[in-house]
Amino acid sequence: GNFYGCLKTRQEKLCQQWSEQSVQEGKLALNFRYCAICPTMIVGPPLLAADDDDSYTPSGTMGSLYRVIKPTDVPSLIGQTIKETKRKSLNDSMSYIDVQDCAAQHVAAMENTNASGRYFSLVESWHWNDILSTLKELYPEISLDENYKYEGDDIIRPTQFNLDRMNSLGVKVKSIREIFAECISFFQSKGVL
């Protein structure tokens, strides 16, 4: 299973229980609220990448997206370098959220006195066929295998989420296409694409 997701969820529930108990015991103010914003893959232009800084190196989740768009030499866990070449779709799905939208959700949860508990932070989940097709439309130079789409009989349905709680925060989120377009434009402005 997904140990990271399981542990993160358990920790959030423990924090919520602790905060509720601490309020009841008078250790925290009566109006204390616990809110957890639970993002999926956060991407978007970083604030600290100044316009005049030409030394930007994609890292973190932006680095992960960058390596999908432009395969690079990647150090493996055993110390060898693996030369990535052309991409093929995985039979899996992925969901994204723009960094600014995720930040706005944090602020909205803090400012909304009725907000408490856990909130998803994502746009929607897409199959890798759709992710790579969209990246190819937005950046035709992407290095994809000629037959990059997964075409097995067992093709999965992208993960489905109920976003009602997230939407109750009132933050309008960018579409995955908009997020990808902004990221590609940012990479190009930094000269890495």
Side-chain angles (χ1 to χ4, degrees):
N2 181 339
F3 293 110
Y4 171 78
C6 177
L7 289 173
K8 186 174 182 320
T9 301
R10 287 185 57 147
Q11 288 173 336
E12 289 162 358
K13 288 182 178 180
L14 284 172
C15 288
Q16 174 125 21
Q17 290 168 358
W18 172 85
S19 66
E20 290 169 355
Q21 182 178 348
S22 295
V23 167
Q24 289 174 358
E25 294 172 355
K27 295 177 183 175
L28 291 173
L30 289 175
N31 64 349
F32 183 88
R33 297 172 295 110
Y34 172 79
C35 294
I37 304 299
C38 307
T40 54
M41 188 167 176
I42 305 170
V43 293
L47 291 177
L48 295 178
D51 291 338
D52 59 352
D53 180 12
D54 294 331
S55 62
Y56 175 75
T57 302
S59 61
T61 54
M62 281 293 277
S64 297
L65 179 60
Y66 175 75
R67 286 186 299 277
V68 170
I69 298 168
K70 186 173 182 179
T72 57
D73 290 342
V74 178
S76 72
L77 295 176
I78 57 172
Q80 297 174 333
T81 298
I82 300 169
K83 180 68 175 176
E84 294 185 344
T85 53
K86 295 186 175 188
R87 294 273 183 221
K88 287 186 78 104
S89 287
L90 302 170
N91 188 25
D92 202 354
S93 63
M94 186 68 190
S95 50
Y96 297 87
I97 187 72
D98 177 73
V99 65
Q100 293 176 5
D101 294 342
C102 185
Q105 290 168 337
H106 279 83
V107 171
M110 181 183 71
E111 291 178 343
N112 180 343
T113 57
N114 294 318
S116 68
R118 301 176 75 240
Y119 293 84
F120 284 130
S121 177
L122 61 109
V123 179
E124 63 183 322
S125 188
W126 279 10
H127 191 279
W128 275 96
N129 284 350
D130 300 317
I131 292 168
L132 293 180
S133 293
T134 301
L135 289 171
K136 180 77 172 164
E137 288 173 28
L138 296 170
Y139 185 71
E141 296 85 358
I142 189 172
S143 182
L144 295 177
D145 188 87
E146 187 176 304
N147 300 310
Y148 69 90
K149 288 191 175 184
Y150 183 87
E151 295 182 354
D153 292 336
D154 60 343
I155 195 162
I156 63 107
R157 178 177 167 224
T159 307
Q160 302 298 298
F161 298 91
N162 180 334
L163 302 178
D164 291 344
R165 278 184 54 77
M166 180 190 86
N167 292 333
S168 75
L169 294 173
V171 176
K172 183 178 181 317
V173 298
K174 295 178 182 111
S175 70
I176 293 177
R177 175 181 270 292
E178 290 172 306
I179 293 169
F180 287 168
E182 283 186 8
C183 291
I184 289 168
S185 177
F186 173 77
F187 289 144
Q188 289 171 326
S189 76
K190 291 298 174 189
V192 294
L193 279 186

